Amino acid sequence: MSKKNSQNKVKSVIYVMMAFFMSCLFMLLSVSVTLQITLLNPNFILDNMNSTNYFVEKRQEIEQSLVDLGYASGLEEEFFENLLNPVDMYDDTELYFKEYYTGKSTVIDTTRFKQDFNSALDKYIEDNNINIVSTGSRDYLVKKAAGIYSSSLEIPLFARMSTYILALKNIMPMMIIVFSGLIIVLTLIVIFTNSWKHRALKYICYATSGATLTVGIIPAVVFISGKIRQINISSRSLYGLFVQCADNIFIILAFCSVILLITSVGLFFIHNNMRKKLLND
């Protein structure tokens, strides 16, 4: 009898360890799915740009920087008023993300901006009857303006992180499949190695409950502390974009936690009903 109890205790320890491992896998799966939907999705940041005043505010910031450049070059402020086209800014940004996530480039293409700037400069020279313009000075001005345009539209630190983001993007689908496969295998092992199925559901419930806590505590702490909105970013457009993206990332993570919680509660009630039914029989 004592030998049987000892064996049951060993089995219980093994199942608890499996439940813990499953809980970790659920957490990793939740984080992986969240990353796949958000940061590893080329449309995620662009969609958040469209849902905020990003391009309106970014246009104002670029115009101010160009005006400062123009003062040093003798250009009046009116020259820059209609220089930037929001549609072109959107198209250049969309191409930037498309090439970034395919590994082709990590910089904004300024070809169209340079063409527009040169056309505006030609008109400005003609309207103001400016006869002598140094080719070197003009090329320098166009290059500086294009640099301001490019650096303003590019996402800070994205170029440095490109290697890691692309690596994650390539392996993340396989990681999701592996995590899902391991969860399914462990679940089947727990179910089919337990003669009492309600006990199997108990251990699976342990796993989902633990995952609910570990996944849910991250967005809970972030939202309660309000740390996202306390970050110091000088650019108003980037600040709004960062807050919007961070909120959506943690909302999706919280949604994963809710799904795990619903699953855990469902398993708990099924386990209780099966256990009561066995006791009554």
Side-chain angles (χ1 to χ4, degrees), residues 3 19 38 47 105 113 150 177 213 217 222 234 236 242 252 276:
K3 184 178 180 181
T38 57
D47 290 341
S105 176
F113 174 81
S150 176
I177 293 173
L213 292 175
I217 196 170
V222 169
S234 58
R236 183 177 178 181
F242 175 83
I252 293 173
K276 288 178 181 178

Side-chain angles (χ1 to χ4, degrees), residues 46-63:
L46 197 62
D47 290 341
N48 281 279
M49 287 177 173
N50 291 329
S51 62
T52 61
N53 292 325
Y54 178 82
F55 287 106
V56 174
E57 294 173 348
K58 182 58 70 176
R59 179 184 179 183
Q60 294 172 352
E61 293 171 3
I62 296 175
E63 281 183 350

Side-chain angles (χ1 to χ4, degrees), residues 185-214:
V185 169
L186 287 174
T187 300
L188 292 176
I189 290 174
V190 171
I191 291 174
F192 288 108
T193 56
N194 264 289
S195 55
W196 301 103
K197 300 307 176 188
H198 70 283
R199 291 182 179 176
L201 293 181
K202 178 180 70 173
Y203 294 118
I204 299 172
C205 183
Y206 288 165
T208 54
S209 298
T212 300
L213 292 175
T214 53

Side-chain angles (χ1 to χ4, degrees), residues 11-253:
K11 286 183 179 180
S12 297
V13 171
I14 293 174
Y15 285 128
V16 169
M17 290 176 64
M18 291 176 67
F20 174 77
F21 188 47
M22 286 174 64
S23 177
C24 295
L25 288 172
F26 275 122
M27 182 193 68
L28 291 172
L29 179 62
S30 299
V31 173
S32 299
V33 170
T34 300
L35 288 175
Q36 182 67 26
I37 295 173
T38 57
L39 291 180
L40 302 181
N41 178 4
N43 295 320
F44 172 71
I45 298 178
L46 197 62
D47 290 341
N48 281 279
M49 287 177 173
N50 291 329
S51 62
T52 61
N53 292 325
Y54 178 82
F55 287 106
V56 174
E57 294 173 348
K58 182 58 70 176
R59 179 184 179 183
Q60 294 172 352
E61 293 171 3
I62 296 175
E63 281 183 350
Q64 185 56 55
S65 297
L66 291 175
V67 166
D68 294 339
L69 175 66
Y71 284 148
S73 305
L75 294 175
E76 297 178 0
E77 186 174 343
E78 289 75 13
F79 171 80
F80 301 98
E81 286 183 354
N82 298 314
L83 179 63
L84 295 174
N85 185 339
V87 176
D88 290 343
M89 290 175 60
Y90 176 86
D91 290 342
D92 289 339
T93 305
E94 185 179 34
L95 179 62
Y96 164 67
F97 282 118
K98 182 179 180 180
E99 292 188 341
Y100 181 90
Y101 280 97
T102 54
K104 293 181 179 179
S105 176
T106 59
V107 296
I108 291 286
D109 183 5
T110 58
T111 303
R112 178 163 40 192
F113 174 81
K114 288 180 178 178
Q115 292 173 349
D116 293 341
F117 194 92
N118 274 311
S119 297
L121 203 55
D122 288 336
K123 187 176 184 304
Y124 180 83
I125 291 171
E126 182 181 348
D127 292 344
N128 291 274
N129 297 317
I130 300 174
N131 297 321
I132 302 175
V133 178
S134 170
T135 303
S137 299
R138 175 171 178 152
D139 291 343
Y140 177 78
L141 176 62
V142 173
K143 183 179 179 180
K144 290 289 290 183
I148 291 172
Y149 179 78
S150 176
S151 61
S152 297
L153 285 183
E154 291 168 9
I155 304 299
L157 301 179
F158 247 43
R160 296 182 182 180
M161 296 168 58
S162 62
T163 303
Y164 306 105
I165 290 179
L166 288 175
L168 272 178
K169 182 176 180 293
N170 292 332
I171 66 172
M172 192 57 72
M174 182 57 65
M175 290 175 65
I176 291 174
I177 293 173
V178 170
F179 293 148
S180 301
L182 287 173
I183 289 171
I184 292 172
V185 169
L186 287 174
T187 300
L188 292 176
I189 290 174
V190 171
I191 291 174
F192 288 108
T193 56
N194 264 289
S195 55
W196 301 103
K197 300 307 176 188
H198 70 283
R199 291 182 179 176
L201 293 181
K202 178 180 70 173
Y203 294 118
I204 299 172
C205 183
Y206 288 165
T208 54
S209 298
T212 300
L213 292 175
T214 53
V215 173
I217 196 170
I218 302 172
V221 170
V222 169
F223 286 131
I224 292 173
S225 65
K227 292 294 184 181
I228 293 177
R229 284 161 178 76
Q230 295 174 14
I231 190 168
N232 185 19
I233 299 178
S234 58
S235 171
R236 183 177 178 181
S237 59
L238 281 176
Y239 173 82
L241 177 63
F242 175 83
V243 171
Q244 179 84 357
C245 289
D247 282 346
N248 287 334
I249 289 172
F250 288 114
I251 285 172
I252 293 173
L253 203 57

